[in-house]
Amino acid sequence: QVQLVESGGDLVQPGGSLRLSCSASGSRFSIYALSWYRQGPGKERELVAGITRSSNTNYADSVKGRFTISRDNAKNTVYLQMNSLKPEDTAVYYCKAVFMGNAVWGQGTQVTVSS
């Protein structure tokens, strides 16, 4: 079973950019559908972006045009490029891998957008 480790979270000013990475151990990374979720203070966890095995993508309305999800199967890594960050993007960001109904989560990485 794949194991996921996120990185790249940081404190950034409004309007800034960050790239999150989620690296997977284990084999057969390419078979998984991958996604990024986030959970802000006092909020429920929500889907941010997803990418299928064939690299089709989908995004939450709140991040469309600002965030880009991508995957590199050779490096067993999924990325979330975040541009034009806003204070409301502040959250713990989690990656998730799903195959045949089985889901695996990473431990999360903190993103704080503040001046």
Side-chain angles (χ1 to χ4, degrees):
Q1 181 171 318
V2 70
Q3 294 180 318
L4 305 173
V5 178
E6 301 97 332
S7 62
D10 205 346
L11 170 64
V12 62
Q13 292 187 343
S17 297
L18 280 177
R19 187 175 80 157
L20 305 183
S21 299
C22 175
S23 296
S25 62
S27 60
R28 306 182 69 192
F29 178 77
S30 62
I31 69 173
Y32 288 88
L34 304 163
S35 52
W36 286 95
Y37 284 71
R38 68 186 180 187
Q39 187 165 15
K43 299 181 180 179
E44 294 187 354
R45 193 173 296 191
E46 63 175 356
L47 175 66
V48 175
I51 186 165
T52 67
R53 291 185 291 176
S54 54
S55 294
N56 294 314
T57 59
N58 64 284
Y59 297 92
D61 287 344
S62 59
V63 306
K64 281 181 182 176
R66 300 188 299 123
F67 290 11
T68 302
I69 188 171
S70 61
R71 66 190 297 165
D72 186 336
N73 291 333
K75 294 182 178 180
N76 281 14
T77 302
V78 58
Y79 304 98
L80 186 67
Q81 177 67 43
M82 305 187 295
N83 299 326
S84 302
L85 283 161
K86 305 175 181 180
E88 51 264 43
D89 295 317
T90 295
V92 178
Y93 283 72
Y94 300 88
C95 65
K96 176 183 174 183
V98 177
F99 178 68
M100 295 289 286
N102 295 313
V104 177
W105 291 87
Q107 85 291 345
T109 186
Q110 176 70 47
V111 172
T112 302
V113 184
S114 175
S115 55

